[in-house]
Amino acid sequence: MQNRLKNKNTGNPDVWKAVGLLHKAIAAGGIDPKLLALVHLRASQINGCSACVYASVAGGKKAGDTDERLHHVAAWREAPFFTDAERAALALAEAATRLQDGAPGVTDAVWDEVSAHFTEEQIGALNLEIALTNFFNRINRTIKEPAGQTWG
């Protein structure tokens, strides 16, 4: 796959400043970096973004997660490797990512399960992580960003 955009540095430093501030806000939310990587991975799998799948696996490993868990995110409902809180976060990532063609999005049941495991501040961080992941997934799919490349 060839990247369509040779220079991802748009010449507008405010773009990278804004992304950096979003990352800072997510980190301040008190969510374990391993869980953030799992959420990023699941949304990226749904969206078919190879660059973000690659990045989230690398991020998960850097945060100390295992190959076994990372390899099973696509089948998290059937895999025994995830806590109830992680399952709630993965369900939120899926529901918030799958908004097309009348999909129900984040139902009350999904929200109630997330609320049972996380504070409002943590849910805010999860929401930002999911939204930022979907943002980058769409950019990467548009420009055909190949796995293994880096931004910035």
Side-chain angles (χ1 to χ4, degrees), residues 4-147:
R4 291 175 169 156
L5 190 62
K6 303 303 178 220
N7 181 8
K8 293 178 287 289
N9 294 317
T10 64
N12 185 346
D14 289 340
V15 172
W16 296 113
K17 183 177 179 181
V19 169
L21 289 173
L22 286 170
H23 280 295
K24 185 176 179 181
I26 292 165
I31 297 291
D32 185 336
K34 288 192 297 191
L35 180 53
L36 291 174
L38 294 176
V39 165
H40 186 88
L41 177 56
R42 187 64 193 124
S44 299
Q45 288 171 334
I46 291 167
N47 289 325
C49 180
S50 68
C52 285
V53 166
Y54 180 92
S56 50
V57 168
K61 286 182 173 187
K62 183 178 178 183
D65 217 332
T66 65
D67 286 336
E68 183 174 55
R69 284 168 40 92
L70 294 167
H71 287 298
H72 284 86
V73 168
W76 63 268
R77 284 181 179 83
E78 294 80 22
F81 310 117
F82 305 101
T83 67
D84 289 343
E86 290 168 335
R87 291 175 185 283
L90 289 166
L92 178 65
E94 286 187 0
T97 298
R98 291 186 167 134
L99 299 176
Q100 77 292 347
D101 301 325
V106 179
T107 64
D108 290 340
V110 169
W111 189 261
D112 291 345
E113 189 63 23
V114 168
S115 296
H117 295 282
F118 300 99
T119 66
E120 282 197 6
E121 183 179 33
Q122 291 172 319
I123 294 169
L126 284 170
N127 263 337
L128 279 176
E129 179 65 25
I130 295 163
L132 190 58
T133 299
N134 279 286
F135 168 82
F136 274 111
N137 290 169
R138 280 149 181 78
I139 290 172
N140 287 336
R141 291 289 310 269
T142 299
I143 66 169
K144 294 188 173 187
E145 182 73 14

